[in-house]
Amino acid sequence: RHYYEQQRHALAAINPAAICAMEPTVAATVRRIDAALGARVLDVPAGAPGNDASALQAFRARLASDAPLFVQHSSGTTGIKKAVAISG
């Protein structure tokens, strides 16, 4: 319960336009964290058409030049979980 509450607050602060999930279990977990995010979860199964460098280039073209590609969250194994913006 603590994990879900913590992630709900983090996702509310980030307010992502989309959440890309490469595995169905990840997509389901995000939807359980906050049902309101369900519409933002994009299921991108491994091996799907466009799941390659060209898909990344198309995604990158939609962003402002200084926008991060995605936010990665640390596991928190050595301390507090942290979000890091990854740029291209």
Side-chain angles (χ1 to χ4, degrees):
R1 178 179 150 138
H2 174 72
Y3 170 80
Y4 282 85
E5 191 64 28
Q6 182 184 44
Q7 296 307 304
R8 187 176 299 112
H9 287 296
L11 288 167
I14 295 167
N15 192 24
I19 300 170
C20 298
M22 301 295 283
E23 299 176 16
T25 55
V26 172
T29 299
V30 173
R31 290 180 179 112
R32 278 194 308 272
I33 288 170
D34 188 346
L37 293 172
R40 298 182 194 185
V41 176
L42 305 175
D43 295 290
V44 186
N51 185 13
D52 58 13
S54 63
L56 177 59
Q57 291 300 332
F59 179 66
R60 190 176 280 149
R62 294 177 55 195
L63 298 173
S65 62
D66 61 343
L69 287 175
F70 60 91
V71 176
Q72 180 175 342
H73 294 268
S74 70
S75 65
T77 55
T78 60
I80 297 174
K81 294 181 182 186
K82 297 172 187 72
V84 178
I86 307 296
S87 300

